[in-house]
């Protein structure tokens, strides 16, 4: 089935994937659900323990019933054998199903589990070391921060507004803190320390990110931190560790002005950690920050990432 997408619903094959979701489905109507996307290499679903932990966390945070992972894992094995490819991508979506009145969910939801196997993307011909600053600001949402829920409009807009020639963009949240990239978590190496933002206010607890938390320090990350870092890299479950050589700052002045106009003017008492840097530079000028792409710490990151991927994998054959 090379080049095709194989969809199973509630642990069984779907004959017509385009019509397997009801128009009354809460995941479709309200984004009431969550998902995870994993890489399958050499018949192993990499870093499964992290994906499983995030699915469990998401179910608990969004007040879903507990998931049946024994049935899910066996279903994934059966689906993988049917697909017939040793290397591919697996996406698992969980929704609250049909029911409830408006936003109010039913007391006993008919939880739906969809799993999709599809070809892995080819990153060979995409720019992998040039990023920009996104003009889209992430919302603050402590109740859902960390969860990879189905409401991803900020990320969609960030991808939509990315300029040609860039594969990723750094995103700030509404407090002016550097939070993530459009589809990745963000790390910097600064003063011989690996630093990544906390995900307690916004952002997603990435499964690739989890592989590196024993090496990294979690803290508020500002644009000043990024601009003064020696190394910048992103992590993504499918792409892995993406080291950035150049960060284009053309959007930075406009983004700063947006914060000053719509953010700072509306906040009387700024919570600790909110950062609104002064506007600098000409918005028409081309500004590029260059980072180091090789270092002993970066090699340690790569080794730790690969180790976790295979050590915590789910064997599918």
């Amino acid at each position: 089935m090379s080049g095709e997408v194989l969809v199973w619903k509630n642990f069984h094959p779907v004959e017509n994937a385009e019509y397997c979701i009801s128009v009354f489905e809460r995941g479709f109507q309200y984004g009431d659900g969550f998902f995870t996307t994993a890489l399958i290499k050499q018949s192993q679903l990499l870093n499964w323990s992290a994906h499983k932990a995030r699915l469990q966390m998401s179910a608990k945070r969004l007040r879903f019933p507990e998931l049946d992972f024994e049935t899910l894992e066996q279903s994934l094995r059966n689906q993988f054998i049917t697909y017939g490819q040793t290397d591919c991508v697996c996406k698992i979506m969980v929704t609250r199903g049909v029911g409830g009145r408006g936003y109010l969910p039913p007391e006993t939801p008919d939880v739906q589990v969809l799993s999709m196997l599809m070809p892995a993307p080819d990153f060979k011909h995409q720019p992998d070391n040039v990023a920009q600053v996104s003009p889209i600001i992430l919302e603050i949402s402590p109740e859902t921060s960390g969860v990879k829920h189905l409401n991803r409009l900020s990320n969609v807009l960030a991808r939509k507004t990315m300029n040609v020639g860039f594969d990723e963009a750094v995103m700030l949240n509404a407090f002016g803190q550097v939070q993530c990239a459009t589809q990745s978590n963000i790390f910097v190496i600064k003063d011989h320390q690996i630093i990544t933002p906390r995900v307690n206010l916004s952002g997603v607890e990435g499964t690739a990110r989890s592989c590196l938390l024993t090496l990294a320090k979690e803290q508020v990350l500002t644009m000043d931190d990024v601009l003064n870092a020696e190394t910048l890299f992103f992590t993504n479950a499918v792409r892995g560790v993406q080291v950035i050589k150049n960060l284009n700052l053309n959007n930075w002045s406009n983004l700063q002005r947006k914060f000053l106009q719509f953010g700072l003017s509306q906040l009387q008492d700024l919570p600790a950690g909110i950062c609104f840097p002064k506007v600098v530079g000409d918005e028409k000028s081309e500004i590029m920050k260059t980072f180091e792409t090789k270092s002993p710490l970066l090699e340690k990151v790569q080794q730790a990432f690969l180790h976790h991927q295979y050590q915590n994998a789910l064997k599918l054959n």
Side-chain angles (χ1 to χ4, degrees):
M1 299 187 64
S2 178
E4 298 182 19
V5 178
L6 180 64
V7 180
W8 283 29
K9 181 180 179 182
N10 297 330
F11 319 120
H12 298 286
V14 170
E15 290 185 7
N16 195 332
E18 293 183 4
Y19 301 100
C20 71
I21 294 292
S22 166
V23 295
F24 303 109
E25 159 69 53
R26 295 184 63 85
F28 171 72
Q29 294 244 358
Y30 310 117
D32 189 1
F34 51 93
F35 72 103
T36 194
T37 306
L39 184 64
I40 296 175
K41 294 280 286 184
Q42 301 171 359
S43 304
Q44 298 180 80
L45 196 158
L46 303 186
N47 204 19
W48 171 241
S49 61
H51 289 281
K52 181 178 178 180
R54 187 171 65 186
L55 289 169
Q56 289 173 317
M57 177 271 290
S58 299
K60 183 177 181 180
R61 293 273 300 279
L62 298 182
R63 296 171 174 80
F64 273 60
E66 291 185 8
L67 301 177
D68 181 354
F69 283 100
E70 183 177 350
T71 302
L72 174 59
E73 289 173 3
Q74 187 56 53
S75 175
L76 290 172
R77 291 187 180 98
N78 295 337
Q79 186 177 4
F80 174 76
I81 292 170
T82 303
Y83 193 59
Q85 303 294 316
T86 58
D87 297 353
C88 55
V89 169
C90 174
K91 184 172 185 177
I92 301 168
M93 296 176 61
V94 182
T95 79
R96 217 181 298 260
V98 175
R101 185 177 179 85
Y103 292 138
L104 181 66
E107 285 294 327
T108 307
D110 181 21
V111 173
Q112 303 292 297
V113 180
L114 288 93
S115 54
M116 287 158 274
L117 296 182
M118 63 200 81
D122 182 6
F123 296 114
K124 293 179 181 177
H125 304 295
Q126 298 183 24
D128 62 355
N129 60 357
V130 181
Q132 65 180 140
V133 177
S134 175
I136 304 302
I137 298 171
L138 276 174
E139 65 278 4
I140 300 295
S141 179
E143 290 295 328
T144 58
S145 63
V147 177
K148 198 164 187 177
H149 51 72
L150 295 179
N151 296 276
R152 307 249 56 95
L153 281 178
S154 294
N155 303 80
V156 170
L157 288 173
R159 297 295 294 182
K160 178 68 175 175
T161 56
M162 236 165 39
N163 296 337
V164 175
F166 295 92
D167 190 48
E168 259 296 12
V170 173
M171 298 186 71
L172 280 68
N173 64 26
F175 284 170
Q177 303 163 351
V178 174
Q179 187 61 65
C180 58
T182 65
Q183 54 188 14
S184 314
N185 289 108
I186 186 171
F187 290 78
V188 298
I189 298 178
K190 181 172 178 276
D191 299 328
H192 307 291
Q193 278 193 321
I194 303 169
I195 304 170
T196 191
R198 300 189 185 103
V199 291
N200 59 321
L201 296 176
S202 55
V204 171
E205 275 191 30
T207 55
R209 174 184 183 270
S210 70
C211 298
L212 304 177
L213 290 183
T214 56
L215 300 177
K217 178 182 179 182
E218 294 181 273
Q219 66 176 51
V220 171
L221 194 67
T222 69
M223 273 301 292
D224 282 343
D225 292 326
V226 173
L227 297 178
N228 289 301
E230 298 93 46
T231 304
L232 170 67
F233 65 92
F234 305 137
T235 58
N236 173 283
V238 176
R239 185 154 196 164
V241 178
Q242 181 184 4
V243 182
I244 300 301
K245 182 177 181 180
N246 294 308
L247 177 64
N248 186 290
L249 301 170
N250 282 13
N251 290 329
W252 182 222
S253 292
N254 286 335
L255 187 59
Q256 289 172 307
R257 289 183 175 87
K258 187 187 289 188
F259 276 120
L260 292 173
Q261 183 178 358
F262 300 110
L264 189 59
S265 62
Q266 296 177 16
L267 295 172
Q268 301 301 318
D269 300 312
L270 300 181
I274 294 187
C275 312
F276 294 100
K278 295 180 180 179
V279 178
V280 294
D282 181 356
E283 62 186 62
K284 295 182 180 179
S285 62
E286 176 103 359
I287 307 173
M288 193 81 73
K289 163 68 178 178
T290 300
F291 298 93
E292 297 176 7
T293 57
K294 293 182 180 180
S295 72
L297 260 183
L298 201 51
E299 290 180 11
K300 195 173 182 180
V301 164
Q302 298 276 14
Q303 292 169 0
F305 175 78
L306 288 174
H307 174 74
H308 278 80
Q309 293 292 293
Y310 286 95
Q311 184 185 48
N312 301 310
L314 175 69
K315 293 183 178 180
L316 297 172
N317 59 3

